[in-house]
Amino acid sequence: MADVISTTTNEPVALRLIDREFLIACPPDEREGLLEAASFLDRKMRDLRAHAKTPGFDRLAVLAAISITHEYLQLKKQSVPNADANVAEPGIAESLATLRRKLEAALDAHVK
C-alpha cells in the first residue's frame, strides 16, 4: 500500500523509491519536475545502497539527502561565490524547501 502525501491541490503522482511507492499530490505543472526529482533520488539511493553496510530505507534517504545537499552547496559555491542561496537563486531555494517538506512528510508517514 502506498503512502499518500497531500498538499494544496492536485493529482496524485506515484513515485517509486527503491522498493517503496509513494503517492504525492502535485499540481499538474509540477508533475514532470517531481518525477525527475524522484528518479534522481532513486538513483542516488540505489548507488548508496550498493555501498552501505546497513542499507535501511530511512538511512538511505538521509544519506541521499545529505549527499544531494552537499552537491548542491558545492555547485552554488562554484557558480555564485559568497552569495546567499535565497538571494542568488530564490526559485531554487523555494523549490528545494518544497521538496524537503514533501520528503519529510513522506518519511514521517512511512515511519508511523
Side-chain angles (χ1 to χ4, degrees), residues 78-90:
Q78 291 173 4
S79 65
V80 186
N82 301 320
D84 180 52
N86 293 329
V87 174
E89 302 289 342

Side-chain angles (χ1 to χ4, degrees), residues 46-57:
R46 287 177 187 281
D47 183 51
L48 290 168
R49 181 175 66 175
H51 300 89
K53 292 181 181 179
T54 55
F57 184 86

Side-chain angles (χ1 to χ4, degrees), residues 8 51 54 56 62 71 89 111:
T8 54
H51 300 89
T54 55
V62 170
E71 291 171 11
E89 302 289 342
V111 172

Side-chain angles (χ1 to χ4, degrees), residues 55-107:
F57 184 86
D58 293 344
R59 180 171 173 76
L60 290 173
V62 170
L63 291 173
I66 291 169
S67 177
I68 292 167
T69 302
H70 179 261
E71 291 171 11
Y72 165 74
L73 292 174
Q74 293 302 314
L75 288 171
K76 185 179 83 166
K77 285 179 185 176
Q78 291 173 4
S79 65
V80 186
N82 301 320
D84 180 52
N86 293 329
V87 174
E89 302 289 342
I92 292 174
E94 185 177 324
S95 295
L96 286 172
T98 300
L99 181 58
R100 188 194 81 237
R101 286 190 300 274
K102 288 179 180 180
L103 289 172
E104 287 173 351
L107 289 173

